[in-house]
Amino acid sequence: MREIKFRVWDKEKREMINNPTWEELGIMIRLPERFDVMQYTGRKGKNNKEIYEGDIVKAIIYHMTPFQNEIVGKVIFKD
């Protein structure tokens, strides 16, 4: 089972809030015009950095040929 963690981007102050309390998180969720709430995906990148929804990630896909493709995208939740 993955760890449930959140971080929040404060658009007004332009700063990241890591591990807000449940009370703080409840307030922030109700103010989407000011805060972007991001949940931990349970995955880590190549430098052991946690990946959250909303992060921009880069992946390199290797083929059976000498060529490779680099893909850049935003992490989103898909049910």
Side-chain angles (χ1 to χ4, degrees):
M1 188 160 93
R2 76 178 164 128
E3 187 176 3
I4 298 174
K5 295 166 77 170
F6 294 90
R7 71 178 184 194
V8 180
W9 175 250
D10 185 332
K11 298 174 193 175
E12 190 175 285
K13 293 184 179 178
R14 299 187 54 79
E15 67 182 16
M16 192 66 72
I17 302 164
N18 291 302
N19 301 315
T21 65
W22 287 108
E23 185 178 329
E24 292 171 328
L25 191 61
I27 293 167
M28 293 169 178
I29 287 171
R30 290 190 286 272
L31 298 170
E33 64 282 350
R34 176 164 176 193
F35 299 104
D36 283 331
V37 178
M38 297 167 256
Q39 186 172 359
Y40 177 49
T41 62
R43 304 280 187 184
K44 293 186 178 183
K46 73 175 189 177
N47 295 324
N48 209 32
K49 187 175 176 186
E50 296 173 339
I51 299 174
Y52 286 78
E53 291 179 90
D55 284 349
I56 305 298
V57 296
K58 177 171 63 174
I60 298 174
I61 299 174
Y62 295 94
H63 300 280
M64 301 296 269
T65 66
F67 302 104
Q68 65 187 36
N69 289 338
E70 188 175 279
I71 297 172
V72 176
K74 183 176 181 178
V75 177
I76 60 169
F77 174 77
K78 185 174 180 183
D79 192 11

